Amino acid sequence: MTIEGHVESIIYKNESNGYTIAVLYPESSNLDNVTSLEQLQFLQEGEITIVGYLPFIHEADSIRVTGKIVKHPNYGEQFKVESFEKIVPETTESLERYLAEGFIKGIGPATAKKIVKKFGDETIEVLRMQPERLASIKGITKEKAKEISESFIENYELWGLVGFLQKFGIGPQSAQTVYKSLGIKAKELIEQNPYILEDMGVKVDFNVIDKMALSIGIERNSLQRIDSGIIHSLKLANLNGHTCVLKENLITYVVNILGVANTDVEDGIKDLRAEEKIYVEERDLEPDGGTWIYLRDFYRAELNVVNQIMKLSQADNIRKLFDVKSELKKVSKKENIELSDKQKQAINLINENNVSIITGGPGTGKTTIIKTILDIYNSYGKVVCLCAPTGRAAKRMTEATGMEAQTIHRLLEIRKISEELPEVDMEVAPINADVIVIDEMSMVDIFLMNLVLKGIYLGTKLILVGDSDQLPSVGPGNVLKDLIASEKVPYITLNKIFRQAAKSKIIVNSHRVNDGVNFIGEVEKPDELDDFHFIEETNKNEAIETVLNLYDDETQVITPTKKGDLGTKNLNRLIQEKYNPYEIDVEEKKFGDVTFRVGDKVMQTKNNYDIEWQKDSELGLGVFNGEMGIITEIDEDDSRLWIRFDDGKVAPIEFQDLEQIEHSYAITIHKSQGSEFNKVILPIVAVSPILLTRNVLYTGMTRAKNDLTIVGTEDTIEYMIDNINTKKRNSGLEYKLRAYES
């Protein structure tokens, strides 16, 4: 059903995504299009409530909406808008009403009345094409006439943009993003090159953009189309953790999505290479020989990491200590600890090399090595710097060592200088330290590693600590594994579980899983802690009830997937409903189909370099992907909410940026990396087989510190332990390190 009318009032509007509830007064002409008694009765009620995504809509606007009548359980009949367009007011009365609302700069009710009275049906033509005539009205100068015209034209262009994009299946939410990025020339720019929508990161299927491009006359095998298809395909690969794609695979994929010839894609690769938008790497070393294609910044990040790692490694070892053996004895006596042979080897490895890697599972003594390094170098008056990829990991490092650790971003004072500046080129603060220890290295992606190395002076010792058997970073690359596999960076693997740690069934069973051994049916030892529980459950509804019943404020739910009944989206909704439900005196903010409330656990899901935060008396910039906290305040007047993050900083999130946070009562195993939680519930029921791998299970289990409950079936656990076919990440870091020549 299509209805025309003017907006009488706006009841609610979400400024960030345009979701609106408004009262529409329908025109009488709508009765000519009625096709059912229900529609007739609905229109005869007069004012109707419309709901949907309606960005740019204001009171007094004339609009045409298409959708259907729905019945809300509390508010009765409403009109759910599926598409809309602003229309030019057809009568002088409606035009005056629109102009009087104050949306056109320089026009208020009195001026609107004068303009419409003088120009009547010519008003729109005068506003758009003959603004100088406005100056004939008393009180309007030539400068003001120009200002009024420019403001009207901007709004006029906006009217057409939503309708233009909707013809191609691009909804109003995306239209708002497009307009913010491209301005009043958006329609013109898109008509010239629809593929700019892909570059802007608008949430639109590439096929929709491509169909749009073809429909306005762009040739099927034009370089413009081919280039965009290649860039789109490489971006998809990057989202899946790859830094590059094998050329033959890229060509096959692009041929399939665009329906063009291999030679067309070859021409596109040559064109993009000439423009330096992509890099082509010819590899002659096994096992990754062949031709590999990169987006420019991914290639540069890898190359920078290799060059800096090798320069650090080959620099003079000016921080070397010459009597480590006696220092180890002093530390052992002072701290009353006895280091294993492997731990002593690790400390010697660190002393002998500028860059070194310490890897091992939980309970194998990695933290003891860090504490020992701290003691030894501090006794020599050396400056040791501790850092980790996330606030939670840094906080845990601080608690374990007694020395303050920082997030990598905070240490480097990373901030984005401009939108045009690629991540690979961001400025960082130099790290004034003799020794730098980075924990949870498996979380560090290629771009973050590049920034870390930019901040390190030659001669500084760099110690990388992590668990190479965990899942790789959320971001692109597989840095820790590639560094180890290259054999260019000295490393040692700790594999002995220490006596105290061996009492934890969480630690013991995690190692069993990593070794390919099922923990189910293992005989309990008398001195083992009661910190591990397995609940057999096949029914997903029963599994949900189990999770909800076990949950409390100390608990973190971790699941392999976002989707499905036991995915993060559904579990977050259910946990919030039970443990932080609606209350009349609790502040909340609706955002799309999600409601954020004071007291909610949330996670930042995107790097935002511009958010100002405060921690005690310290001020800073930037909140980053994976940081978790609690909503402490929602301020409708200032259109922002406040979050206290786990590392103690408090930061405001503008309502327009709420798409960057999500609830974190339940998080994915991938997002849990680098974190440790007192109590963890790990539901593994009704999960896609592609996610059921050994390292997914191992990573999830090792997030629990004091209590772990797995909900699932024996068959699923056995399948995961046996499934070591983890998806290989395409990366050139190992190759470049092996091929490096100083």
Side-chain angles (χ1 to χ4, degrees), residues 437-469:
V437 183
I438 303 178
D439 199 10
E440 296 292 352
M441 259 303 296
S442 62
M443 291 185 68
V444 176
D445 65 33
I446 194 66
F447 284 105
L448 188 54
M449 191 65 188
N450 167 59
L451 295 175
V452 168
L453 292 168
K454 283 176 74 172
I456 299 178
Y457 292 115
L458 288 183
T460 303
K461 279 192 178 293
L462 177 61
I463 306 166
L464 309 176
V465 182
D467 186 345
S468 59
D469 291 319

mmCIF file of all heavy atoms in Angstrom, residues 437-469:
data_model
loop_
_atom_site.group_PDB
_atom_site.id
_atom_site.type_symbol
_atom_site.label_atom_id
_atom_site.label_comp_id
_atom_site.label_asym_id
_atom_site.label_seq_id
_atom_site.Cartn_x
_atom_site.Cartn_y
_atom_site.Cartn_z
ATOM 1 N N VAL A 437 58.078 -6.151 26.887
ATOM 2 C CA VAL A 437 57.441 -7.469 26.922
ATOM 3 C C VAL A 437 56.003 -7.312 26.426
ATOM 4 O O VAL A 437 55.234 -6.531 26.994
ATOM 5 C CB VAL A 437 57.429 -8.069 28.345
ATOM 6 C CG1 VAL A 437 56.822 -9.466 28.317
ATOM 7 C CG2 VAL A 437 58.838 -8.102 28.928
ATOM 8 N N ILE A 438 55.651 -8.047 25.384
ATOM 9 C CA ILE A 438 54.270 -8.049 24.886
ATOM 10 C C ILE A 438 53.658 -9.399 25.205
ATOM 11 O O ILE A 438 54.139 -10.438 24.739
ATOM 12 C CB ILE A 438 54.204 -7.791 23.367
ATOM 13 C CG1 ILE A 438 54.881 -6.476 23.003
ATOM 14 C CG2 ILE A 438 52.743 -7.794 22.901
ATOM 15 C CD1 ILE A 438 54.896 -6.171 21.518
ATOM 16 N N ASP A 439 52.591 -9.398 25.994
ATOM 17 C CA ASP A 439 51.891 -10.635 26.337
ATOM 18 C C ASP A 439 50.714 -10.842 25.380
ATOM 19 O O ASP A 439 50.293 -9.920 24.687
ATOM 20 C CB ASP A 439 51.395 -10.556 27.784
ATOM 21 C CG ASP A 439 51.076 -11.934 28.363
ATOM 22 O OD1 ASP A 439 51.411 -12.953 27.725
ATOM 23 O OD2 ASP A 439 50.502 -11.988 29.461
ATOM 24 N N GLU A 440 50.188 -12.066 25.358
ATOM 25 C CA GLU A 440 49.045 -12.437 24.504
ATOM 26 C C GLU A 440 49.320 -12.092 23.041
ATOM 27 O O GLU A 440 48.493 -11.511 22.334
ATOM 28 C CB GLU A 440 47.763 -11.765 24.982
ATOM 29 C CG GLU A 440 47.316 -12.197 26.370
ATOM 30 C CD GLU A 440 46.848 -13.650 26.432
ATOM 31 O OE1 GLU A 440 46.717 -14.287 25.374
ATOM 32 O OE2 GLU A 440 46.632 -14.145 27.559
ATOM 33 N N MET A 441 50.477 -12.504 22.553
ATOM 34 C CA MET A 441 50.901 -12.164 21.198
ATOM 35 C C MET A 441 50.020 -12.794 20.113
ATOM 36 O O MET A 441 49.972 -12.288 18.986
ATOM 37 C CB MET A 441 52.351 -12.611 20.982
ATOM 38 C CG MET A 441 53.369 -11.519 21.075
ATOM 39 S SD MET A 441 53.103 -10.129 19.945
ATOM 40 C CE MET A 441 53.294 -10.924 18.351
ATOM 41 N N SER A 442 49.310 -13.867 20.444
ATOM 42 C CA SER A 442 48.463 -14.483 19.418
ATOM 43 C C SER A 442 47.358 -13.537 18.964
ATOM 44 O O SER A 442 46.790 -13.704 17.885
ATOM 45 C CB SER A 442 47.837 -15.782 19.938
ATOM 46 O OG SER A 442 47.000 -15.524 21.050
ATOM 47 N N MET A 443 47.060 -12.521 19.783
ATOM 48 C CA MET A 443 46.020 -11.547 19.446
ATOM 49 C C MET A 443 46.504 -10.440 18.525
ATOM 50 O O MET A 443 45.700 -9.683 17.987
ATOM 51 C CB MET A 443 45.498 -10.879 20.716
ATOM 52 C CG MET A 443 44.702 -11.750 21.627
ATOM 53 S SD MET A 443 44.067 -10.736 22.967
ATOM 54 C CE MET A 443 42.902 -9.708 22.090
ATOM 55 N N VAL A 444 47.792 -10.287 18.371
ATOM 56 C CA VAL A 444 48.345 -9.135 17.649
ATOM 57 C C VAL A 444 48.298 -9.383 16.147
ATOM 58 O O VAL A 444 48.896 -10.342 15.642
ATOM 59 C CB VAL A 444 49.793 -8.857 18.103
ATOM 60 C CG1 VAL A 444 50.403 -7.721 17.293
ATOM 61 C CG2 VAL A 444 49.829 -8.526 19.592
ATOM 62 N N ASP A 445 47.576 -8.510 15.410
ATOM 63 C CA ASP A 445 47.487 -8.672 13.959
ATOM 64 C C ASP A 445 48.613 -7.909 13.268
ATOM 65 O O ASP A 445 49.425 -7.239 13.919
ATOM 66 C CB ASP A 445 46.104 -8.254 13.439
ATOM 67 C CG ASP A 445 45.809 -6.775 13.636
ATOM 68 O OD1 ASP A 445 46.743 -5.956 13.571
ATOM 69 O OD2 ASP A 445 44.625 -6.427 13.847
ATOM 70 N N ILE A 446 48.648 -7.988 11.953
ATOM 71 C CA ILE A 446 49.787 -7.450 11.205
ATOM 72 C C ILE A 446 49.871 -5.926 11.320
ATOM 73 O O ILE A 446 50.961 -5.353 11.376
ATOM 74 C CB ILE A 446 49.741 -7.894 9.719
ATOM 75 C CG1 ILE A 446 51.070 -7.629 9.024
ATOM 76 C CG2 ILE A 446 48.588 -7.250 8.975
ATOM 77 C CD1 ILE A 446 52.211 -8.467 9.543
ATOM 78 N N PHE A 447 48.726 -5.237 11.402
ATOM 79 C CA PHE A 447 48.754 -3.775 11.494
ATOM 80 C C PHE A 447 49.217 -3.308 12.868
ATOM 81 O O PHE A 447 49.991 -2.354 12.974
ATOM 82 C CB PHE A 447 47.369 -3.195 11.169
ATOM 83 C CG PHE A 447 47.054 -3.219 9.701
ATOM 84 C CD1 PHE A 447 46.174 -4.151 9.181
ATOM 85 C CD2 PHE A 447 47.660 -2.324 8.835
ATOM 86 C CE1 PHE A 447 45.896 -4.187 7.824
ATOM 87 C CE2 PHE A 447 47.388 -2.349 7.469
ATOM 88 C CZ PHE A 447 46.503 -3.288 6.964
ATOM 89 N N LEU A 448 48.760 -3.975 13.914
ATOM 90 C CA LEU A 448 49.194 -3.593 15.257
ATOM 91 C C LEU A 448 50.678 -3.890 15.442
ATOM 92 O O LEU A 448 51.412 -3.105 16.053
ATOM 93 C CB LEU A 448 48.360 -4.328 16.312
ATOM 94 C CG LEU A 448 48.560 -3.886 17.765
ATOM 95 C CD1 LEU A 448 48.356 -2.384 17.917
ATOM 96 C CD2 LEU A 448 47.629 -4.650 18.694
ATOM 97 N N MET A 449 51.141 -5.019 14.890
ATOM 98 C CA MET A 449 52.567 -5.348 14.980
ATOM 99 C C MET A 449 53.405 -4.296 14.267
ATOM 100 O O MET A 449 54.484 -3.896 14.739
ATOM 101 C CB MET A 449 52.821 -6.736 14.386
ATOM 102 C CG MET A 449 54.212 -7.278 14.679
ATOM 103 S SD MET A 449 54.419 -7.560 16.471
ATOM 104 C CE MET A 449 56.152 -7.947 16.569
ATOM 105 N N ASN A 450 52.917 -3.824 13.144
ATOM 106 C CA ASN A 450 53.614 -2.780 12.398
ATOM 107 C C ASN A 450 53.762 -1.514 13.246
ATOM 108 O O ASN A 450 54.836 -0.909 13.303
ATOM 109 C CB ASN A 450 52.829 -2.464 11.116
ATOM 110 C CG ASN A 450 53.298 -1.196 10.429
ATOM 111 O OD1 ASN A 450 54.452 -1.066 10.040
ATOM 112 N ND2 ASN A 450 52.398 -0.229 10.305
ATOM 113 N N LEU A 451 52.691 -1.143 13.951
ATOM 114 C CA LEU A 451 52.735 0.066 14.772
ATOM 115 C C LEU A 451 53.654 -0.107 15.978
ATOM 116 O O LEU A 451 54.376 0.819 16.360
ATOM 117 C CB LEU A 451 51.323 0.444 15.218
ATOM 118 C CG LEU A 451 50.365 0.854 14.091
ATOM 119 C CD1 LEU A 451 48.969 1.098 14.642
ATOM 120 C CD2 LEU A 451 50.862 2.082 13.353
ATOM 121 N N VAL A 452 53.625 -1.296 16.584
ATOM 122 C CA VAL A 452 54.519 -1.574 17.714
ATOM 123 C C VAL A 452 55.974 -1.370 17.295
ATOM 124 O O VAL A 452 56.761 -0.687 17.973
ATOM 125 C CB VAL A 452 54.335 -3.017 18.227
ATOM 126 C CG1 VAL A 452 55.461 -3.390 19.183
ATOM 127 C CG2 VAL A 452 53.001 -3.171 18.942
ATOM 128 N N LEU A 453 56.331 -1.954 16.177
ATOM 129 C CA LEU A 453 57.728 -1.914 15.740
ATOM 130 C C LEU A 453 58.158 -0.504 15.337
ATOM 131 O O LEU A 453 59.343 -0.161 15.425
ATOM 132 C CB LEU A 453 57.944 -2.896 14.588
ATOM 133 C CG LEU A 453 57.814 -4.374 15.002
ATOM 134 C CD1 LEU A 453 57.740 -5.282 13.784
ATOM 135 C CD2 LEU A 453 58.981 -4.782 15.896
ATOM 136 N N LYS A 454 57.206 0.330 14.907
ATOM 137 C CA LYS A 454 57.530 1.726 14.591
ATOM 138 C C LYS A 454 57.978 2.477 15.839
ATOM 139 O O LYS A 454 58.734 3.453 15.753
ATOM 140 C CB LYS A 454 56.304 2.432 13.986
ATOM 141 C CG LYS A 454 56.037 2.087 12.547
ATOM 142 C CD LYS A 454 54.748 2.739 12.051
ATOM 143 C CE LYS A 454 54.913 4.217 11.839
ATOM 144 N NZ LYS A 454 53.727 4.824 11.177
ATOM 145 N N GLY A 455 57.495 2.040 17.015
ATOM 146 C CA GLY A 455 57.785 2.760 18.251
ATOM 147 C C GLY A 455 59.002 2.259 19.006
ATOM 148 O O GLY A 455 59.293 2.760 20.093
ATOM 149 N N ILE A 456 59.719 1.261 18.468
ATOM 150 C CA ILE A 456 60.835 0.649 19.203
ATOM 151 C C ILE A 456 62.179 1.123 18.655
ATOM 152 O O ILE A 456 62.436 1.055 17.447
ATOM 153 C CB ILE A 456 60.755 -0.892 19.132
ATOM 154 C CG1 ILE A 456 59.444 -1.375 19.765
ATOM 155 C CG2 ILE A 456 61.950 -1.528 19.832
ATOM 156 C CD1 ILE A 456 59.251 -2.876 19.694
ATOM 157 N N TYR A 457 63.037 1.587 19.566
ATOM 158 C CA TYR A 457 64.386 2.002 19.172
ATOM 159 C C TYR A 457 65.265 0.776 18.945
ATOM 160 O O TYR A 457 65.117 -0.250 19.624
ATOM 161 C CB TYR A 457 65.027 2.859 20.274
ATOM 162 C CG TYR A 457 64.393 4.209 20.473
ATOM 163 C CD1 TYR A 457 63.744 4.523 21.668
ATOM 164 C CD2 TYR A 457 64.457 5.186 19.483
ATOM 165 C CE1 TYR A 457 63.175 5.773 21.873
ATOM 166 C CE2 TYR A 457 63.890 6.442 19.679
ATOM 167 C CZ TYR A 457 63.250 6.727 20.864
ATOM 168 O OH TYR A 457 62.688 7.965 21.057
ATOM 169 N N LEU A 458 66.204 0.885 18.006
ATOM 170 C CA LEU A 458 67.199 -0.174 17.827
ATOM 171 C C LEU A 458 68.000 -0.329 19.112
ATOM 172 O O LEU A 458 68.373 0.666 19.742
ATOM 173 C CB LEU A 458 68.143 0.160 16.669
ATOM 174 C CG LEU A 458 67.572 0.063 15.251
ATOM 175 C CD1 LEU A 458 68.652 0.362 14.224
ATOM 176 C CD2 LEU A 458 66.968 -1.307 14.987
ATOM 177 N N GLY A 459 68.257 -1.576 19.493
ATOM 178 C CA GLY A 459 68.985 -1.844 20.728
ATOM 179 C C GLY A 459 68.068 -2.219 21.870
ATOM 180 O O GLY A 459 68.515 -2.757 22.887
ATOM 181 N N THR A 460 66.771 -1.950 21.727
ATOM 182 C CA THR A 460 65.799 -2.361 22.741
ATOM 183 C C THR A 460 65.534 -3.853 22.607
ATOM 184 O O THR A 460 65.464 -4.382 21.497
ATOM 185 C CB THR A 460 64.469 -1.599 22.548
ATOM 186 O OG1 THR A 460 64.727 -0.197 22.608
ATOM 187 C CG2 THR A 460 63.457 -1.980 23.610
ATOM 188 N N LYS A 461 65.406 -4.531 23.741
ATOM 189 C CA LYS A 461 65.050 -5.953 23.695
ATOM 190 C C LYS A 461 63.529 -6.085 23.586
ATOM 191 O O LYS A 461 62.783 -5.426 24.321
ATOM 192 C CB LYS A 461 65.535 -6.675 24.957
ATOM 193 C CG LYS A 461 66.997 -7.053 24.912
ATOM 194 C CD LYS A 461 67.350 -8.004 26.040
ATOM 195 C CE LYS A 461 68.809 -8.414 25.940
ATOM 196 N NZ LYS A 461 69.090 -9.240 24.759
ATOM 197 N N LEU A 462 63.080 -6.950 22.677
ATOM 198 C CA LEU A 462 61.651 -7.196 22.479
ATOM 199 C C LEU A 462 61.364 -8.658 22.788
ATOM 200 O O LEU A 462 61.929 -9.560 22.165
ATOM 201 C CB LEU A 462 61.249 -6.873 21.036
ATOM 202 C CG LEU A 462 59.791 -7.151 20.650
ATOM 203 C CD1 LEU A 462 58.824 -6.317 21.486
ATOM 204 C CD2 LEU A 462 59.569 -6.882 19.161
ATOM 205 N N ILE A 463 60.481 -8.890 23.772
ATOM 206 C CA ILE A 463 60.126 -10.253 24.183
ATOM 207 C C ILE A 463 58.642 -10.472 23.874
ATOM 208 O O ILE A 463 57.776 -9.746 24.393
ATOM 209 C CB ILE A 463 60.379 -10.461 25.692
ATOM 210 C CG1 ILE A 463 61.832 -10.094 26.029
ATOM 211 C CG2 ILE A 463 60.074 -11.896 26.097
ATOM 212 C CD1 ILE A 463 62.085 -9.938 27.527
ATOM 213 N N LEU A 464 58.364 -11.432 23.032
ATOM 214 C CA LEU A 464 56.993 -11.728 22.615
ATOM 215 C C LEU A 464 56.527 -12.988 23.336
ATOM 216 O O LEU A 464 57.147 -14.047 23.193
ATOM 217 C CB LEU A 464 56.932 -11.917 21.099
ATOM 218 C CG LEU A 464 57.568 -10.796 20.260
ATOM 219 C CD1 LEU A 464 57.531 -11.147 18.780
ATOM 220 C CD2 LEU A 464 56.861 -9.470 20.519
ATOM 221 N N VAL A 465 55.449 -12.874 24.097
ATOM 222 C CA VAL A 465 54.964 -13.987 24.923
ATOM 223 C C VAL A 465 53.542 -14.335 24.495
ATOM 224 O O VAL A 465 52.700 -13.449 24.327
ATOM 225 C CB VAL A 465 54.973 -13.611 26.419
ATOM 226 C CG1 VAL A 465 54.525 -14.793 27.276
ATOM 227 C CG2 VAL A 465 56.361 -13.135 26.844
ATOM 228 N N GLY A 466 53.273 -15.616 24.321
ATOM 229 C CA GLY A 466 51.919 -15.995 23.923
ATOM 230 C C GLY A 466 51.752 -17.491 23.811
ATOM 231 O O GLY A 466 52.640 -18.267 24.154
ATOM 232 N N ASP A 467 50.589 -17.871 23.324
ATOM 233 C CA ASP A 467 50.248 -19.282 23.144
ATOM 234 C C ASP A 467 49.926 -19.487 21.674
ATOM 235 O O ASP A 467 48.857 -19.102 21.197
ATOM 236 C CB ASP A 467 49.040 -19.622 24.025
ATOM 237 C CG ASP A 467 48.707 -21.115 24.016
ATOM 238 O OD1 ASP A 467 49.213 -21.830 23.130
ATOM 239 O OD2 ASP A 467 47.929 -21.551 24.882
ATOM 240 N N SER A 468 50.848 -20.079 20.955
ATOM 241 C CA SER A 468 50.691 -20.209 19.501
ATOM 242 C C SER A 468 49.617 -21.213 19.105
ATOM 243 O O SER A 468 49.256 -21.304 17.929
ATOM 244 C CB SER A 468 52.028 -20.608 18.857
ATOM 245 O OG SER A 468 52.488 -21.843 19.387
ATOM 246 N N ASP A 469 49.086 -21.985 20.063
ATOM 247 C CA ASP A 469 48.029 -22.945 19.750
ATOM 248 C C ASP A 469 46.635 -22.346 19.861
ATOM 249 O O ASP A 469 45.640 -23.006 19.565
ATOM 250 C CB ASP A 469 48.134 -24.170 20.676
ATOM 251 C CG ASP A 469 49.371 -25.000 20.378
ATOM 252 O OD1 ASP A 469 49.677 -25.183 19.188
ATOM 253 O OD2 ASP A 469 50.049 -25.425 21.333
#
